[in-house]
Amino acid sequence: MTATDPALTALAQSWCALSLLHGRIEAHIERALQAKHDLSAREYSLLDVLSRQHDGEGGHLQMKQVADAVVLSQSATTRLVTRLEDRGLLERYLCPTDRRGIYTNVTEAGLKLLEEARPTNDTALREALDEAAKNPELAPLVRVVETLKAPVPA
């Protein structure tokens, strides 16, 4: 295979289309969340992920798991947690069984903001997908996104 191989060129074009779709969706959601809730898309994502924790076996996420879930580095996730903690939306506490472990929970204020922001996020996502579906290059990707099912945790 060479750099001008048609298969590689097509693959690169597909990747560009996927990146374009992601960027447009993220930008649209970001503007909506900022305007209505003073919340970034990453902040919303973090609140959403952490709000799904539970007290059962494996119910609390370690920082690496949180970072993977919000697609950030551990250091960027820690900075994001600190910003939301400073706003009173998150709180950290020591793991009761391992004093070296630190967990993060969403506060009542964080849950309230998340509940208020969820319809904005969902509406912005739908709007961004509908707009992207009008573009012939992005329409097939939109259809795939619409038919994907969330993975079931193992």
Side-chain angles (χ1 to χ4, degrees):
M1 280 199 209
T2 65
T4 57
D5 185 308
L8 288 177
T9 302
L11 186 61
Q13 289 172 337
S14 297
W15 171 244
C16 286
L18 183 59
S19 290
L20 178 63
L21 178 63
H22 176 270
R24 286 182 180 182
I25 291 169
E26 189 171 49
H28 190 78
I29 291 172
E30 181 83 25
R31 285 189 301 273
L33 288 172
Q34 282 289 347
K36 293 183 179 179
H37 307 284
D38 191 29
L39 200 60
S40 74
R42 295 279 187 193
E43 291 167 338
Y44 173 87
S45 235
L46 180 63
L47 288 173
D48 184 51
V49 165
L50 291 174
S51 74
R52 298 173 193 274
Q53 296 182 119
H54 56 84
D55 289 330
E57 180 71 27
H60 286 275
L61 301 172
Q62 297 172 345
M63 197 56 69
K64 179 176 181 350
Q65 294 169 301
V66 174
D68 289 345
V70 296
V71 194
L72 288 173
S73 68
Q74 278 188 257
S75 61
T77 302
T78 299
R79 288 190 300 274
L80 187 58
V81 165
T82 299
R83 279 199 313 271
L84 292 179
E85 187 178 34
D86 290 347
R87 289 175 58 185
L89 302 174
L90 297 177
E91 59 189 1
R92 295 181 222 207
Y93 65 96
L94 290 175
C95 171
T97 58
D98 180 359
R99 306 294 277 167
R100 296 169 297 172
I102 298 175
Y103 290 133
T104 305
N105 270 343
V106 182
T107 64
E108 286 301 317
L111 290 172
K112 182 176 185 290
L113 180 58
L114 180 61
E115 183 179 318
E116 293 168 356
R118 193 176 306 281
T120 302
N121 180 79
D122 294 349
T123 299
L125 173 58
R126 181 74 265 161
E127 291 169 352
L129 286 170
D130 289 347
E131 187 60 32
K134 296 174 187 175
N135 180 326
E137 293 176 0
L138 300 179
L141 293 172
V142 171
R143 286 192 296 276
V144 169
V145 168
E146 292 173 334
T147 59
L148 285 175
K149 302 285 186 238
V152 177

